[in-house]
Amino acid sequence: MTKFLISFPADAMDVAAEEIAAAGEASRAVIREAKAAGIYVFGGGINSQVAPVMVSADEGCITGTYRQTREFDGGFCVLELPSRAAAVQWAARLAAACRCAQELREFHYDAES
């Protein structure tokens, strides 16, 4: 089985205020189905109220992030699935629930992770 990251940036959700609650419930319903199917690994949303920090090997912390990930926000989940085709199907279900396209990425297999 392969792990897949399904995600979207916060500003991709172009949903009217009165639709936010329904989109949230629809996405949670898909996640509940993934949990029931035994394919859910973990997921959540990035807390935009807490600034990211860069942590060095000596445990030093500075506020900020890599330039490439400055815009990393929104929601994500990791599902463990038998194929990319299955991952596309789950990503499509989440896209319908969240009312925005989902980015799909595959994790490289590492026997120790």
Side-chain angles (χ1 to χ4, degrees), residues 41-61:
V41 178
F42 71 94
I46 302 298
N47 186 343
S48 63
Q49 303 301 309
V50 179
V53 296
M54 297 290 290
V55 180
S56 62
D58 65 1
E59 299 182 17
C61 293

Side-chain angles (χ1 to χ4, degrees), residues 1-2 4 11 13-14 26 38 44 46 49 55 62 64 66 77 81 86-87 91 93 95 104-105 113:
M1 296 270 271
T2 303
F4 292 89
D11 64 1
M13 281 188 76
D14 187 18
I46 302 298
Q49 303 301 309
V55 180
I62 59 168
Y66 287 111
C77 71
L81 298 160
R93 293 177 69 188
L104 178 63
R105 292 183 179 247
S113 64

Side-chain angles (χ1 to χ4, degrees), residues 22-72:
E25 178 50 35
S27 65
R28 286 188 291 278
V30 174
I31 295 301
R32 285 192 293 272
E33 291 176 43
K35 287 178 178 180
I39 60 171
Y40 181 82
V41 178
F42 71 94
I46 302 298
N47 186 343
S48 63
Q49 303 301 309
V50 179
V53 296
M54 297 290 290
V55 180
S56 62
D58 65 1
E59 299 182 17
C61 293
I62 59 168
T63 300
T65 186
Y66 287 111
R67 178 181 50 81
Q68 300 92 325
T69 60
R70 197 168 292 138
E71 300 299 320
F72 184 68

Side-chain angles (χ1 to χ4, degrees), residues 62-104:
I62 59 168
T63 300
T65 186
Y66 287 111
R67 178 181 50 81
Q68 300 92 325
T69 60
R70 197 168 292 138
E71 300 299 320
F72 184 68
D73 62 3
F76 68 93
C77 71
V78 175
L79 303 180
E80 191 164 25
L81 298 160
S83 67
R84 186 168 187 84
V88 167
Q89 291 173 340
W90 280 95
R93 293 177 69 188
L94 285 163
C98 294
R99 284 105 164 136
C100 65
Q102 303 290 299
E103 181 176 292
L104 178 63

